[in-house]
Amino acid sequence: MSVAITSLERAALDKIVVAAPQMIATLKNWSNINSGSMNIPGLHRQLAQIKTVFAELGGTMDEVALPPTQAVDGAGTPYEIEHAASFRLVQRPAAPIQILLTGHYDTVFPETSTFQTVRAVGEDQLHGPGVADMKGGLLVMFQALLALEQSKAHQNIGYTILISPDEEIGSTGSAGLLAHHAKLADLGLTYEPALADGSLSGARKGTGNFSFVIRGRSAHAGREHHLGRNAIVAGAEVIQRLAALTGAREGLTVNPAKLEGGGANNVVPDVAVVRFNARLAEPEDMVWFETILQQIRQEINAQDGFTAKLHGGFTRPPKPMAPPNAALFAMTRAAGGALGLDIVWKATGGVCEGNNLWAAGCPNVDTLGVRGGEIHSDREYMIVSSLAERARLSALMLFKFASGDFDAKALRKMK
Ligand SMILES: [Zn+2]
């Protein structure tokens, strides 16, 4: 597959290059705002910045309040995690082609992180929280859409932008909103960072976060040891069973991540919380895995003096390289080819909103953001020249969906 760039498109793509210094300046400002997923005031500051910039696109903007997420604390007590709002912008909702563009404005760096500011490294790198994941990607999305709005050819395309506050903690608050709009769209474009060499992510595993709350019976460790029911010993046994499930299905990994419980040496502990993550490659394995978890829960409940509760679930189903996703990748690759970019992709155990969109039947490519690396660490960096490079890639894709060179309507019909 190959595409040619028209002279009108060329002129619009050239404008993106002219806008690059402004993109860099904005990205520096944004990276200096702490927007850790739990820092609600910081998220609000970042959201205000996004609204100011994205207003230039026109369309209808709003903030969508999200439901709180149910969680469980170290004593096994349920509580709620509040979220900031999702940003939404709707443009030409009656146009024949509808595209969903998604991203997130939270980062993994909490308010207490020592990694708070951006700095330039050498000629072509910025180092800072969220520069790659994904404040740079949000600006790539914006600049590509601005090019579309300024072009003469946008009337065929409408779009919805969703920018979430909770991607880095599993998108549990925004999941319903993402699914709603994903069902209405012909395709999705998501702005997670590409690898530093420009590769995109291909097939993605699915993921779930769970916790078992196990309750036993406390007792004096000396006088009445025989009356105690040691919850952390039961929890440790559960951990062994969970760990042994790794590989029981092709691609399944189970990571027991934390065991909480216990206290003084002379008390039999009466509560344990076992937290774990599971990743798998096939959607049908989710049901199989959850059945095993229910068996484990029932076995604990059958033991004298113990009860177990299971919290959590799968938050992002797998996103395989199914024909619609492969066809959209071929279009991405063709657009890249016209711009002199050799776009390839690699399978990954990582997950993102692209999983959510695919679960709602929406074909998508999810690493259209900047090139960068060492994300989720205080060494996170992005490659400055990739801001314009990747904005041009997305803009050209949008032009080709509008012109019909890329058939947006064909993707969902593929089996
Ligand atoms: Zn991200």
Side-chain angles (χ1 to χ4, degrees), residues 199-264:
S199 308
L200 307 189
S201 294
R204 289 183 182 272
K205 286 187 179 181
T207 185
N209 292 311
F210 303 83
S211 37
F212 271 116
V213 175
I214 300 165
R215 294 188 190 279
R217 184 174 187 278
S218 65
H220 191 286
R223 287 166 54 146
E224 294 184 320
H225 182 268
H226 63 291
L227 294 179
R229 297 292 180 269
N230 191 315
I232 66 169
V233 171
E237 287 169 4
V238 166
I239 286 172
Q240 294 288 348
R241 294 198 51 188
L242 293 170
L245 290 170
T246 292
R249 282 286 194 276
E250 179 79 39
L252 171 65
T253 58
V254 183
N255 181 48
K258 195 171 190 183
L259 171 62
E260 292 171 275

Side-chain angles (χ1 to χ4, degrees), residues 104 106 132-134 167-168 191-193 352 375-376:
H104 61 88
D106 62 329
D133 186 14
M134 62 155 46
E167 196 276 341
E168 297 292 6
Y191 287 83
E192 291 293 340
C352 74
I375 61 171
H376 295 197

